[in-house]
Amino acid sequence: LGVNDSRNAVGFYLNASGSKEPFDTTLPQNASEPRPRPGQTGTARATAIAGKGDMVGWDQSSNGIVSWYLQAGMYYPFSYKGAVSTYATSLNWNNMVAGYYIDSHKATHGFILIGPTKGGAEQSWQTIDAPKAKYGTVITGINNHHDTCGYYIDASHVQHGFVAVPKRS
């Protein structure tokens, strides 16, 4: 699901019991390393890897779908406040995480998280809703310039891709 400039890739596979497990691998050797997170109770995915080897993903836990950030062997779980599910899909060199969450009304919103290794009020969250989104916004990528990409679903249930570029001063 993700690859960095150092040719490290992340994704998931089905284990012997049929659960999805995250992994990372170095290309082209194709030597994979499983990455189960402490507290993981079911399906999990590693979705992106940055140039420094930091990773993000999400998994099933006793609290529902929870995202995680992996840095230097330490897992940092996080969830958007009040969300029923949080899905990290991308990160950049600046440790900004992007993804989407589902709120208590089952609406889907994109997000950017700054400070994934920090807790609670020290984390900075930004919700992203495309202007014409009626049935959800999903952020699938963020680059080192903080540009994001993803898709939204309009009032006619049509899916549209987008790239968003922050204002530069």
Side-chain angles (χ1 to χ4, degrees), residues 6-168:
S6 299
R7 302 195 73 200
N8 298 312
V10 296
F12 66 93
Y13 67 95
L14 290 177
N15 66 19
S17 65
S19 292
K20 294 174 182 163
E21 295 285 340
F23 75 88
D24 70 294
T25 188
T26 302
L27 304 172
Q29 293 93 337
N30 200 25
S32 310
E33 183 174 340
R35 291 287 180 194
R37 185 180 70 82
Q40 174 185 323
T41 59
T43 291
R45 289 177 176 82
T47 54
I49 186 167
K52 298 181 281 185
D54 302 336
M55 294 181 225
V56 294
W58 55 267
D59 60 54
Q60 182 71 43
S61 75
S62 58
N63 296 324
I65 302 293
V66 175
S67 284
W68 48 263
Y69 177 82
L70 175 64
Q71 182 181 62
M74 293 288 298
Y75 282 92
Y76 299 90
F78 61 87
S79 294
Y80 194 93
K81 186 176 181 175
V84 296
S85 299
T86 303
Y87 300 89
T89 58
S90 185
L91 77 160
N92 66 16
W93 189 268
N94 302 314
N95 302 325
M96 295 173 75
V97 178
Y100 64 100
Y101 68 92
I102 300 172
D103 69 20
S104 60
H105 302 288
K106 296 188 171 74
T108 303
H109 309 272
F111 74 80
I112 294 175
L113 167 61
I114 299 171
T117 62
K118 300 176 181 177
E122 292 184 54
Q123 292 178 332
S124 175
W125 291 86
Q126 177 184 359
T127 295
I128 299 173
D129 289 314
K132 295 182 179 180
K134 173 73 175 173
Y135 296 105
T137 300
V138 173
I139 305 298
T140 58
I142 187 167
N143 68 15
N144 293 334
H145 300 284
H146 309 172
D147 305 328
T148 57
C149 64
Y151 63 91
Y152 68 91
I153 301 171
D154 70 15
S156 298
H157 297 279
V158 175
Q159 183 174 306
H160 302 270
F162 69 86
V163 173
V165 178
K167 286 186 176 182
R168 309 220 197 296

